C-alpha cells in the first residue's frame, strides 16, 4: 500500500497524456502572454491596500524593504517553478510537479490544497472588486440596494450580485478560449499598469523628505498572546514579534506576501504555451521582477507623500493624494483597482480549473471533467462547475477570515515544489531541463526555510482550518481517487498481464 501511495508518474507519460485528442488543450500562449498573466494576477489588492496598512501598523517607510524581502522569498520559489515548468510542461502546476517527483499521495495533497487556494482567492478578490465598483457607482449617483451589495446591516442577509456577476462573466470568457483570455488580460493589465505608473510619477512630485524620518521607526514589542488568532510562532515558542524596528520589516514581509500570491498561476498554463521550455521561465521570472519593482516604487512614493502614521488603511493611495490637495486622483485610482482586481479574479479562476482538469485527467477526480470542448479546446466542464460554485460563494460570503487560507496554501505549494526539484534531480538526472535552478540544493533549501518562516507568522487558526481541509481531502482520495487512479489502473493491468503470461515452455 505504501508503494502505491508514493508511486510517481513519469514525466514522459505526463507529456504523452497531453497529446490525447479528447484531453488536448490548445497551445496559443507566448512568453509575453505569460508575463502579462503574471503581472495581471500579482498586481491587485496588495498594491492598492496593503501598502498603507503595513506602513502604518508594522514597518513605517521601511515597508518598501518588506516588499523586497517578500519578493526575494517568491524569487527563490520562482527559480524552482521555472525548472519544473520547463521540464514538465503540463497543466496542473505544483500538482503535476509533485506527481513526477514525490508520488501520488503528495500530489493529491498539493492538488487539493491548490483547489482551495484558487477557489477562495477568486471569491475573495471578487468581493473586493465589488466593493470598489460600488464605490464608483456611488460616486456616479447609482446606489445598489443593501441586500444586493453584500451583507445588509439591518437583516444580516444579502447577495453580492456584482461579485457573482463578475465570476460568471469571467467564466464565460475562459470557456471561449485562452487566446481571448490572454487578449482581454493584455488590455486590462495595460490599463492598470498605466494607472500605477501615473501614481508613481505624479506622486513623486509631492514627496516630502521629512515623511521618511524615521525610515525604520523604533521597535515596539507586541505582547505574546494565547489566542488562536495569534501567529503560530507565538504559541509554539512564546516569541513576541516586533512592530517597527528591523524585525518589523520581516513581520511586514509576512503580511505583504499576500500581494505576491498568484505568480505560480503562470505555471498552470504550461500546457497551453507554444514553447514552454523557453517561455515558462521568462513568464514566471519576468512577471515577478516587474511586480516587485512596482510594489517597491509605490510604497516609497506613498510613504513620502504622507507620514506613515497618517496613512489610510483602506485606501492609502487615494487618500495620500487627497491629503496633498488632489482628490480627483481618488477616482482614477479606484478605477485602476477595479480593473486590476478583474484580471486577478480571472487568472485565479484559470489556475483553479487547470489544476482540477489535470487531477481529473489522472483519474483522481471524475474523468468527466477532463474532456475538453470540441471547438474551443478548453476544459469547459470544470470551468463552468467551479465558476458557478465560486459565484455563489462570492455572493453569500465575506470570507474575510478565510482569506488567510489562500496565503498558507500558496506557501505550502512553494515548499513542495522546492523539495520536488531536489528529488527529481536525484531520481531523473537524465531529463532535459531547458532551465536549471542554480545552486541546487542550496537554493531549494533556502526557499523552504524562508517559506516556513512566513508560514509560522500566520495565525494558528489558519493552520487549524488548513488541517481540516487536508483531512477532508484525505478522505476523498482514499474513498475515490486511489481506486480510480489512472496510474494505479495502468500498474494493475501491467501486473495482471505478467501474472497471466504463460511460461515459455507452455508457449512453445
Amino acid at each position: 500500500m505504501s508503494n502505491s501511495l508514493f508511486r510517481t508518474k513519469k514525466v514522459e507519460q505526463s507529456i504523452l497524456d497531453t497529446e490525447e485528442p479528447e484531453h488536448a488543450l490548445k497551445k496559443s500562449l507566448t512568453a509575453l502572454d505569460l508575463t502579462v498573466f503574471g503581472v495581471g494576477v500579482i498586481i491587485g489588492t496588495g498594491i492598492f491596500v496593503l501598502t498603507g496598512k503595513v506602513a502604518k501598523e508594522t514597518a513605517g517607510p521601511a515597508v518598501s524593504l518588506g516588499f523586497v524581502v517578500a519578493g526575494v522569498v517568491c524569487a527563490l520559489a520562482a527559480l524552482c517553478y521555472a525548472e519544473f515548468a520547463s521540464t514538465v510542461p503540463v497543466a496542473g502546476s505544483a500538482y503535476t510537479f509533485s506527481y513526477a517527483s514525490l508520488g501520488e499521495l503528495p500530489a493529491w495533497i498539493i492538488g487539493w490544497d491548490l483547489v482551495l487556494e484558487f477557489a477562495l482567492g477568486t471569491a475573495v478578490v471578487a468581493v473586493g472588486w465589488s466593493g470598489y465598483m460600488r464605490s464608483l457607482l456611488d460616486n456616479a449617483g447609482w446606489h445598489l440596494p443593501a441586500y444586493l451589495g453584500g451583507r445588509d446591516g439591518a437583516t444580516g442577509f444579502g447577495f453580492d450580485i456584482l461579485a457573482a456577476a463578475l465570476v460568471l462573466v469571467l467564466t464565460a470568457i475562459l470557456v471561449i478560449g485562452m487566446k481571448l483570455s490572454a487578449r482581454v488580460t493584455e488590455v486590462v493589465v495595460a490599463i492598470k499598469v498605466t494607472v500605477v505608473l501615473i501614481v508613481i510619477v505624479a506622486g513623486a512630485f509631492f514627496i516630502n523628505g521629512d515623511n521618511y524620518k524615521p525610515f525604520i521607526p523604533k521597535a515596539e514589542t507586541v505582547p505574546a498572546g494565547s489566542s488562536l488568532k495569534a501567529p503560530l510562532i507565538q504559541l509554539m515558542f512564546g516569541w513576541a514579534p516586533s512592530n517597527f524596528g528591523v524585525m518589523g520589516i520581516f513581520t511586514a514581509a509576512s503580511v505583504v506576501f499576500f500581494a505576491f500570491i498568484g505568480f505560480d498561476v503562470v505555471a498552470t498554463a504550461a500546457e497551453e504555451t507554444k514553447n514552454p521550455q523557453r517561455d515558462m521561465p521568462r513568464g514566471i521570472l519576468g512577471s515577478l521582477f516587474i511586480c516587485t519593482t512596482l510594489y517597491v516604487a509605490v510604497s516609497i512614493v506613498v510613504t513620502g507623500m504622507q507620514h506613515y502614521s497618517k496613512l489610510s488603511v483602506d485606501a492609502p493611495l487615494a487618500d495620500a493624494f487627497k491629503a496633498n490637495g488632489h482628490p480627483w486622483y481618488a477616482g482614477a485610482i479606484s478605477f485602476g483597482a477595479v480593473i486590476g482586481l478583474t484580471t486577478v479574479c480571472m487568472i485565479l479562476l484559470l489556475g483553479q480549473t487547470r489544476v482540477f482538469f489535470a487531477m481529473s485527467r489522472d483519474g483522481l477526480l471524475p474523468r468527466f471533467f477532463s474532456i475538453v470542448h470540441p471547438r474551443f479546446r478548453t476544459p469547459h466542464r470544470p470551468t463552468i462547475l467551479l465558476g458557478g460554485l465560486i459565484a455563489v460563494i462570492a455572493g453569500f460570503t465575506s470570507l474575510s477570515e478565510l482569506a488567510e487560507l489562500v496565503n498558507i496554501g500558496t506557501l505550502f505549494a512553494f515548499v513542495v515544489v522546492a523539495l520536488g526539484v531536489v528529488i527529481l534531480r536525484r531520481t531523473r538526472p537524465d531529463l532535459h531541463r531547458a532551465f536549471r535552478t542554480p545552486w541546487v540544493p542550496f537554493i531549494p533549501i533556502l526557499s523552504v526555510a524562508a517559506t516556513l518562516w512566513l508560514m509560522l507568522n500566520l495565525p494558528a487558526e489558519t493552520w487549524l482550518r488548513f488541517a481540516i481541509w487536508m483531512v477532508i481531502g484525505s478522505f476523498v482520495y482514499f474513498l475515490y481517487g486511489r481506486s480510480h487512479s489512472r496510474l494505479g489502473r495502468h500498474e494493475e493491468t501491467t501486473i495482471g498481464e505478467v501474472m497471466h503470461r504463460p511460461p515459455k515452455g507452455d508457449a512453445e
Side-chain angles (χ1 to χ4, degrees):
M1 178 177 177
S2 61
N3 289 336
S4 67
L5 296 180
F6 294 94
R7 55 195 173 205
T8 58
K9 185 177 182 180
K10 291 184 177 181
V11 173
E12 294 83 355
Q13 184 59 52
S14 295
I15 296 175
L16 283 176
D17 289 348
T18 69
E19 299 174 357
E20 297 174 349
E22 69 271 25
H23 304 303
L25 298 174
K26 184 178 180 180
K27 298 181 181 295
S28 59
L29 301 180
T30 64
L32 176 60
D33 294 327
L34 295 173
T35 302
V36 169
F37 271 129
V39 173
V41 73
I42 297 173
I43 295 182
T45 305
I47 205 166
F48 295 108
V49 178
L50 288 180
T51 303
K53 176 180 176 62
V54 176
K56 187 172 184 177
E57 301 176 357
T58 307
V63 62
S64 57
L65 299 181
F67 276 114
V68 171
V69 172
V72 169
V73 174
C74 286
L76 293 172
L79 291 171
C80 299
Y81 267 92
E83 174 169 326
F84 258 129
S86 62
T87 307
V88 193
V90 179
S93 183
Y95 159 75
T96 300
F97 307 156
S98 301
Y99 214 158
S101 58
L102 301 177
E104 184 170 283
L105 180 59
W108 166 266
I109 291 173
I110 195 64
W112 189 250
D113 162 54
L114 291 175
V115 167
L116 173 71
E117 172 196 342
F118 292 146
L120 291 183
T122 304
V124 170
V125 173
V127 172
W129 177 91
S130 174
Y132 278 109
M133 179 58 75
R134 289 197 304 272
S135 176
L136 287 177
L137 292 176
D138 289 341
N139 291 339
W142 300 335
H143 306 288
L144 282 177
Y147 61 87
L148 291 181
R151 310 299 85 77
D152 187 342
T155 64
F157 175 81
F159 183 79
D160 195 332
I161 191 171
L162 292 178
L166 173 67
V167 174
L168 294 177
V169 169
L170 296 180
T171 297
I173 292 175
L174 289 175
V175 167
I176 292 174
M178 278 295 292
K179 200 60 181 178
L180 174 60
S181 305
R183 292 293 167 258
V184 171
T185 303
E186 287 174 3
V187 173
V188 173
V189 168
I191 294 173
K192 73 172 178 179
V193 169
T194 299
V195 172
V196 171
L197 292 176
I198 290 175
V199 170
I200 295 172
V201 175
F205 289 97
F206 305 109
I207 290 178
N208 182 348
D210 291 337
N211 290 330
Y212 291 128
K213 300 176 183 179
F215 188 75
I216 302 179
K218 185 178 179 180
E220 297 176 1
T221 301
V222 179
S226 59
S227 169
L228 286 178
K229 293 184 179 295
L232 183 63
I233 194 170
Q234 288 184 254
L235 299 183
M236 292 176 63
F237 306 110
W239 175 78
S242 171
N243 279 349
F244 307 116
V246 175
M247 289 305 299
I249 296 174
F250 294 98
T251 303
S254 300
V255 178
V256 301
F257 180 80
F258 282 96
F260 291 91
I261 285 177
F263 89 85
D264 55 326
V265 176
V266 179
T268 66
E271 193 173 325
E272 294 158 274
T273 304
K274 293 180 180 179
N275 189 348
Q277 287 77 14
R278 181 195 67 189
D279 295 341
M280 288 305 302
R282 294 180 180 181
I284 292 173
L285 296 172
S287 60
L288 183 60
F289 174 77
I290 291 172
C291 293
T292 301
T293 302
L294 291 175
Y295 276 147
V296 172
V298 166
S299 60
I300 291 175
V301 168
V302 171
T303 54
M305 292 177 63
Q306 190 175 18
H307 194 266
Y308 74 89
S309 62
K310 299 180 180 179
L311 282 173
S312 165
V313 173
D314 298 323
L317 304 189
D319 287 355
F321 279 102
K322 288 181 180 179
N324 283 274
H326 295 277
W328 66 271
Y329 273 102
I333 293 171
S334 295
F335 174 75
V338 168
I339 296 298
L341 294 179
T342 300
T343 55
V344 175
C345 193
M346 183 173 74
I347 299 171
L348 286 174
L349 183 58
L350 164 71
Q352 157 85 314
T353 57
R354 269 45 180 183
V355 172
F356 200 94
F357 169 78
M359 296 175 73
S360 172
R361 186 167 58 191
D362 289 333
L364 300 182
L365 290 172
R367 298 264 291 173
F368 170 82
F369 296 107
S370 63
I371 306 299
V372 299
H373 194 281
R375 176 184 175 188
F376 302 126
R377 310 306 300 173
T378 58
H380 60 296
R381 291 174 177 174
T383 301
I384 294 173
L385 170 68
L386 296 171
L389 290 175
I390 294 171
V392 173
I393 294 173
F396 283 112
T397 315
S398 65
L399 296 178
S400 57
E401 294 182 352
L402 294 181
E404 290 177 343
L405 280 171
V406 182
N407 198 9
I408 195 172
T410 302
L411 290 166
F412 181 67
F414 285 5
V415 171
V416 172
V417 170
L419 293 175
V421 166
V422 177
I423 293 173
L424 201 62
R425 284 282 188 96
R426 292 182 176 275
T427 58
R428 293 298 307 275
D430 57 305
L431 283 176
H432 171 67
R433 292 169 170 83
F435 178 90
R436 297 177 68 89
T437 303
W439 303 327
V440 173
F442 175 72
I443 290 295
I445 291 175
L446 186 59
S447 175
V448 171
T451 301
L452 288 176
W453 170 260
L454 294 185
M455 293 178 73
L456 288 174
N457 280 277
L458 291 173
E461 64 180 359
T462 298
W463 284 81
L464 178 61
R465 289 169 178 154
F466 183 68
I468 293 173
W469 177 254
M470 290 294 105
V471 169
I472 295 174
S474 298
F475 278 110
V476 175
Y477 172 74
F478 284 105
L479 293 177
Y480 181 89
R482 184 170 176 269
S483 60
H484 290 80
S485 166
R486 189 176 181 184
L487 180 61
R489 291 191 171 189
H490 174 73
E491 290 180 351
E492 291 176 0
T493 301
T494 302
I495 293 174
E497 291 176 351
V498 173
M499 293 179 63
H500 292 87
R501 187 179 299 162
K504 290 185 178 181
D506 294 346
E508 293 171 355

